[in-house]
Each structure stands twice: as C-alpha cells, then as structure tokens.
C-alpha cells in the first residue's frame, strides 16, 4: 500500500499547481494516466484571462464572464475567481513561465483578446501557452523531493467509508491500475484531489486528448457526489478540418486578432448571426457554423487571417502557422478549413469555494469540477484561471484543517475474475458510444434524439457492468466504463432542461426560461 498525505489524480495545470504548493508542507502523490504532459492543459493555445492592464477592470471581466455564462454563472464565485486572477498569474511568472513580452506595455507582457471579452486581457506564450506553463511546472514537480509521480497509472475507483462498510462519508484514497504492469495498487491518503479534466472523448470529434474520459466525474458520482450542469458541453468553433490533423485546435485568438469566418465562396456570415460577429462567445459562433454547414451542405467553413503579414503570423501564431503549413495550408495566403468540435465540459462534480465535494476529504479542481464559474457557457481562457485559483483554495483548506491518521486499506480483490476472452466488445462499444453521442447529443438537440441516446446508453452500461464484474480490468475497459457514465449524466441533464440556454440548444424548447437554475443530479447511493 502506498501512503501519502495528499493524493492528486491528474497532471494538468490544476494537478501540478496543487502538487507544488502542497509539497512545501507534506508528502504528495500524483498519478497520471500517461506521461506528465499528456493532458488538455498542455494543448491550451490561447492563454489565461486575468485583469492585468490599467485599461481593464475586475467588473468588466466579471461582466464578460456572466454574459458568456448566459445567466447561470454563480456571481459570487465569478467575483472570487476574477479577484484572485492577478495573484495567480504573478505566481506563474515567479515560476519562470515564458509569457510573450511586449516592451510597449506597462506590465511588459503582450495581452490578446478573444471571443466574449470586452478588453485585451489574455496573457499568453505565443500560441502554445498551455505547453509553456506545463513544461515549466512539470520540471519543478519532477525534481521536488516531496512529490512522488506515478505515470501510466489510471485511477480505478475511490476508496470511501461506504465501500469499506464504515459509517462515515469520507474518502481514504484510491485504487489505481499500473497500465504497464497490469497491477492494481492501493493508495492511502488523508486527502484526495480529483484533477482529471473533462469528458470530451465521449464524443466522436473533440479537441481533447485521448485521456479526457471523465474519470474523476464518474468516480465521484459512484462515491456519492452530486454533479451539476453536465448538459453544457462546449464545442470549440474552430477545429482544423483535415484528415491528418486529429484534434488540432485553431485558437480563439486568431479571431481575436482579426480572423474572419467565411463560406467557401468567400462570403462572411457571422454578422448575420450576432452583432459581435467573430468575437461572439463560443456557443454563438459554434451554432452559427453548424447552421451554415447544414444550410449549405458543407463539410467545413473557412477562417481567414491572410490579411495579416507573415511576420505577424509567425510571431503570434507560430504553432498554428507551422502545423497548417506542414499540411499544405499557407495561412498567410489562404483561409483555414475549420469545423466545431467538443472542447470543454462546463459541468462536473459539485465543489464549493474551497474545492470540497460532498464526500469528506475529497476535492475536485479544474474541468472535473462544477464550481459555478462557467454557467451555461465558458468564457474563453477562463479555464486555466479556474485551475489556478481553485488549486490555491484547496491547498489552503487542506493545510488549515487537522490531519487525520492514515487508515490501512484492503488490497484490490481479483479473486473472482479471469482474463477476458476477447476485447472486441470494448472497442465496438467505444465506437458506438462516440458516434451516437455526436449524432444525438450534439450542438442542436431534440427530446427524441436524447431518448434514443438514453436507450443505447442503458444497453451499453449493462454489457460493460457485466464485463467489469467478470474480467481483469484494463485501461480501455476502465475508460469506457467512465465514458458511458458521463454520457448518461449528460443526457439526463439535457432531458431535465426544458429551455435553450448557452451551450444547450433544444428544438423542442427553443427559448430561454426566466429564473434559470443549475441542473443538479444526485446519485442514488446518497
């Protein structure tokens, strides 16, 4: 049995920030499904939103967030996050993150603007901000004597008092599968933090990495935690459309720096959908593109930034410029083919201002959590900010409370399972799930499509539960088990919302209702 003061599940920005700050005071274990840098945070191109300029205000950032969230943001939470934004950025700068400089700026850093923002407030490292941040923090994590990193370890389930037959409602650690050896290890911890990211891989087309299988959300639900707002799945409007460009994102900042969306004949269409045109929030732009593609029978639309100079493009978007060029697309001379793709899970495990969940000693931070910040639609570049601010909040809460003794935990029991005779069931179910979620629970929804999805989910769950009960676990089975549960939560939430708002658009309920409330689901185990 491995023992830590705190166990962190996930190695994105939330996980690395938590590890570095907690390790100043205690022994930390960090498990990650693949390598330390395999996750959504490393892929973040645009940057981090925070009020850093004298031309910006806290109230403006708050209002932009509330507007994008379409009436479902928690205003107190939004204010808390925005007010702590500058301190979070200052900490990253102190760690040595190489944000893009601008000597003409009073603060010395270049700020860009993205859809939904009324000011330039996105601090970035060219167009590869997430990678720059993660590389900087990962180097410090790997060299820290109080941090044990377990790569290629996939969490199986949380160990709770209820599962141990105790009377309490507490998390004692987790089981994790070493995907290289096949061994399930037992990890005991006083506190456990879910920082596992979102569930984008439940859909056929996504900008998310293969690791985004909603593991933390599923484990927390099985442990008795409520989830909220799972119907709000953000589709990024501009994913590169090319057969050899799997999941490559074209940053929001391309539109922020003047990129224009066009039909194949060169006609601009966004002004017909919203007065903010290309700088409208993501839900508006994604629906507009979806509408135009269906109206004209298109495979994609085009994002044109060719009016900018090569020097400008190479300075501001070096990753996008070089990636497109490698695929034969010269963005200084021709538009970029783009389509919407699933990008962010706005809902998740319910967590308070200290990142606490419904289970004692269990925390949720980042995309895994529902903090109340994003509402019905996340404002661009608020996600990494959320990771930083709530990581700090969780650290303070953990260090301020009295520490309890570690408990001896039972080893993983494999006495009643055998090796699976075939894996085709897993691969077939995985493909079926992602296809029908894309077709039935996409940008535009109907009750009939949602009910079809719900029926298929139930059939898949029965098969997967039987497989899980009888055979040794493996990564594909664990991820599929979690994805199917996330799909069920998304569909349940979508069926419960009888209106169209933000990222959830229903043909059966096309208008917004007054006094909107979060969609909160409670597991039967509570």
């Amino acid at each position: 049995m491995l023992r830590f003061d705190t166990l962190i599940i996930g190695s994105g920005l939330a996980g690395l920030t938590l590890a570095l700050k907690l390790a100043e005071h205690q022994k930390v274990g960090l498990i990650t499904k693949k390598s330390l840098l395999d996750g959504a945070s490393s892929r973040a191109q645009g940057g981090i939103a925070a009020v850093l300029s004298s031309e910006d205000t806290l109230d403006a950032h708050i209002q932009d967030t509330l507007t994008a969230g379409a009436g479902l943001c928690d205003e107190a939470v939004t204010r808390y996050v925005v007010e702590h934004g500058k301190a979070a950025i200052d900490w990253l700068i102190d760690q040595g993150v190489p944000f893009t400089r601008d000597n003409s700026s009073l603060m010395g850093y270049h700020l860009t603007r993205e859809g939904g923002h009324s000011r330039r407030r996105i601090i970035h490292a060219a167009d590869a901000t997430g990678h720059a941040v993660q590389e900087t923090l990962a180097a410090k994590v790997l060299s820290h004597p109080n941090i044990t990193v377990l790569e290629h370890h996939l969490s199986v389930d949380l160990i709770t008092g209820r599962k141990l037959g105790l009377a309490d409602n507490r998390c004692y650690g987790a089981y994790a599968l070493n995907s290289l050896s096949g061994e399930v290890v037992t990890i005991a911890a006083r506190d456990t933090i879910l920082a596992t990211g979102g569930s984008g891989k439940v859909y056929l087309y996504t900008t998310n990495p293969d690791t985004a299988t909603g593991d933390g959300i599923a484990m927390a639900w099985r442990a008795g935690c409520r989830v909220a707002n799972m119907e709000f799945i953000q589709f990024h409007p501009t994913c590169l459309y090319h057969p050899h460009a799997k999941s490559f994102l074209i940053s929001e900042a391309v539109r922020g720096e003047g990129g224009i969306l066009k039909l194949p004949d060169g006609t601009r269409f966004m002004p017909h959908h919203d007065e903010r045109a290309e700088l409208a929030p993501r839900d508006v732009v994604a629906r507009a593109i979806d509408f135009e593609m269906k109206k004209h029978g298109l495979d994609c639309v085009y994002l044109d930034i060719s009016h900018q100079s090569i020097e400008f493009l190479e300075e501001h978007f070096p990753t996008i410029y070089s990636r497109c060029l490698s695929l034969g697309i010269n963005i200084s001379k021709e538009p970029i083919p783009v389509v919407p793709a699933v990008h962010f899970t706005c809902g998740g495990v319910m967590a308070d201002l200290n990142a606490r969940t419904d289970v004692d000693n269990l925390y949720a931070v980042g995309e895994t959590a529902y903090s109340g910040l994003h509402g019905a639609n996340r404002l661009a570049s608020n996600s990494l900010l959320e990771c930083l601010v709530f990581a700090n909040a969780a650290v303070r809460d953990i260090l301020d409370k009295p520490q309890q003794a570690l408990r001896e935990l039972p080893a993983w029991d494999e006495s009643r399972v055998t090796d699976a005779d075939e894996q085709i069931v897993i691969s077939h179910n995985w493909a079926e799930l992602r296809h029908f979620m894309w077709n039935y629970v996409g940008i535009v929804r109907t009750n009939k499509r949602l009910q079809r999805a719900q029926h298929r989910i139930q059939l898949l769950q029965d098969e997967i539960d039987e497989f899980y009960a009888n055979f040794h676990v493996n990564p594909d089975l664990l991820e599929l088990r979690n994805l199917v549960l996330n799909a069920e939560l998304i569909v349940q939430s979508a069926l419960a919302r009888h209106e169209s708002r933000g990222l959830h658009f229903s043909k059966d309920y096309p208008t917004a209702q007054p006094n909107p409330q979060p969609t909160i689901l409670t597991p039967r185990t509570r």
Side-chain angles (χ1 to χ4, degrees):
M1 189 175 77
L2 300 177
R3 296 169 174 83
F4 302 106
D5 294 308
T6 298
L7 170 65
I8 300 166
I9 304 175
S11 62
L13 179 55
L16 297 188
T17 302
L18 286 158
L20 286 173
K21 295 199 168 191
L22 286 168
E24 297 303 311
H25 307 276
Q26 53 175 241
K27 295 290 186 181
V28 174
L30 187 151
I31 67 173
T32 185
K33 290 167 71 170
K34 292 189 177 179
S35 71
L36 204 59
L37 292 176
D38 281 318
S41 293
S42 291
R43 295 183 174 212
Q45 293 179 350
I48 308 173
V51 177
L52 304 170
S53 165
S54 59
E55 298 175 1
D56 199 1
T57 66
L58 296 174
D59 285 341
H61 189 180
I62 291 166
Q63 189 54 55
D64 290 345
T65 302
L66 297 178
T67 299
L72 274 181
C73 298
D74 184 311
E75 192 163 349
V77 170
T78 303
R79 180 167 292 279
Y80 176 84
V81 173
V82 170
E83 287 178 347
H84 288 82
K86 185 178 185 303
I89 299 300
D90 288 343
W91 180 77
L92 287 180
I93 292 172
D94 289 343
Q95 302 308 302
V97 174
F99 290 116
T100 298
R101 295 276 184 173
D102 181 358
N103 294 329
S104 65
S105 166
L106 289 175
M107 66 169 295
Y109 292 97
H110 182 265
L111 301 178
T112 190
R113 184 181 172 193
E114 296 179 343
H117 289 274
S118 59
R119 309 279 199 283
R120 285 184 172 268
R121 64 168 68 98
I122 316 300
I123 190 168
H124 61 102
D127 62 347
T129 306
H131 186 69
V133 172
Q134 290 296 93
E135 271 202 326
T136 303
L137 299 187
K140 292 177 178 288
V141 164
L142 289 171
S143 62
H144 202 294
N146 279 349
I147 303 174
T148 300
V149 176
L150 300 173
E151 294 184 316
H152 303 287
H153 278 67
L154 198 159
S155 48
V156 179
D157 244 335
L158 299 169
I159 304 171
T160 61
R162 182 172 57 82
K163 290 182 179 178
L164 297 174
L166 305 176
D168 62 28
N169 182 39
R170 179 181 164 193
C171 182
Y172 291 92
Y175 293 113
L177 172 68
N178 181 331
S179 59
L180 300 181
S181 70
E183 177 192 9
V184 176
V185 297
T186 306
I187 307 175
R190 293 184 176 90
D191 294 289
T192 301
I193 308 175
L194 300 172
T196 56
S199 52
K201 292 298 285 187
V202 77
Y203 285 92
L204 185 60
Y205 301 112
T206 177
T207 64
N208 289 182
D210 291 341
T211 53
T213 52
D215 304 328
I217 296 170
M219 288 192 299
W221 176 263
R222 291 193 292 264
C225 293
R226 293 169 298 163
V227 300
N229 279 13
M230 288 294 291
E231 70 269 38
F232 296 116
I233 302 295
Q234 186 176 76
F235 287 72
H236 196 288
T238 53
C239 187
L240 179 60
Y241 179 73
H242 191 280
H244 303 302
K246 178 185 175 184
S247 305
F248 187 75
L249 182 69
I250 304 298
S251 169
E252 190 103 6
V254 172
R255 286 181 283 125
E257 295 295 343
I260 301 298
L261 284 163
K262 297 178 178 180
L263 298 175
D265 63 1
T267 303
R268 186 183 184 189
F269 59 85
M270 274 310 302
H272 301 300
H273 292 270
D274 193 282
E275 61 183 11
R276 294 163 292 184
E278 280 76 12
L279 289 178
R282 289 176 177 174
D283 61 323
V284 175
V285 180
R287 272 199 306 277
I289 294 174
D290 182 68
F291 174 86
E292 296 293 341
M293 287 172 59
K294 288 175 178 174
K295 177 182 177 181
H296 298 286
L298 305 173
D299 292 324
C300 65
V301 296
Y302 293 86
L303 179 59
D304 193 352
I305 190 74
S306 62
H307 56 276
Q308 296 283 14
S309 68
I310 293 180
E311 293 76 19
F312 179 92
L313 296 172
E314 288 182 330
E315 178 185 356
H316 289 270
F317 306 113
T319 307
I320 295 171
Y321 182 83
S322 61
R323 179 69 172 130
C324 288
L325 200 59
S326 73
L327 296 168
I329 304 166
N330 187 339
I331 68 173
S332 70
K333 296 181 179 179
E334 59 188 312
I336 308 166
V338 294
V339 292
V342 169
H343 186 56
F344 192 84
T345 308
C346 286
V349 184
M350 290 190 71
D352 64 15
L353 276 176
N354 292 311
R356 292 178 178 178
T357 70
D358 291 328
V359 173
D360 294 339
N361 295 40
L362 178 66
Y363 296 78
V365 180
E367 193 174 351
T368 305
Y370 165 78
S371 66
L373 174 64
H374 304 307
N377 177 36
R378 175 175 69 85
L379 181 65
S381 290
N382 269 356
S383 54
L384 296 184
L385 178 65
E386 179 187 33
C387 290
L388 292 164
V389 172
F390 279 98
N392 291 337
V395 168
R396 283 195 305 271
D397 193 71
I398 289 169
L399 297 179
D400 284 348
K401 67 183 183 182
Q403 294 300 302
Q404 298 167 302
L406 287 173
R407 185 181 186 89
E408 285 297 316
L409 301 176
W412 180 253
D413 183 6
E414 292 186 312
S415 61
R416 294 184 296 275
V417 298
T418 61
D419 289 329
D421 50 358
E422 56 184 26
Q423 292 294 320
I424 190 65
V425 173
I426 302 300
S427 59
H428 179 271
N429 286 355
W430 185 292
E432 182 183 348
L433 173 70
R434 298 182 68 208
H435 274 88
F436 73 64
M437 284 297 290
W438 182 261
N439 291 326
Y440 296 155
V441 198
I443 295 176
V444 177
R445 300 163 178 175
T446 67
N447 279 353
K448 181 176 259 187
R449 290 179 195 166
L450 293 173
Q451 288 161 358
R452 284 175 179 161
Q454 192 174 46
H455 176 67
R456 283 160 174 76
I457 287 167
Q458 186 57 58
L459 295 175
L460 288 182
Q461 276 186 325
D462 292 343
E463 286 187 14
I464 293 162
D465 287 346
E466 181 183 0
F467 211 90
Y468 182 79
N470 291 294
F471 300 115
H472 290 292
V473 295
N474 62 54
D476 288 344
L477 172 60
L478 293 176
E479 290 184 331
L480 179 60
R481 180 180 182 232
N482 292 334
L483 278 176
V484 169
L485 178 49
N486 276 263
E488 180 190 18
L489 297 173
I490 291 167
V491 172
Q492 276 189 36
S493 299
L495 284 168
R497 184 163 293 281
H498 295 172
E499 63 166 354
S500 290
R501 182 178 300 276
L503 301 166
H504 173 75
F505 186 85
S506 169
K507 283 189 173 181
D508 296 298
Y509 308 102
T511 58
Q513 297 296 309
N515 304 315
Q517 298 297 319
T519 303
I520 298 174
L521 302 180
T522 303
R524 289 186 293 272
T525 55
R526 282 176 60 80

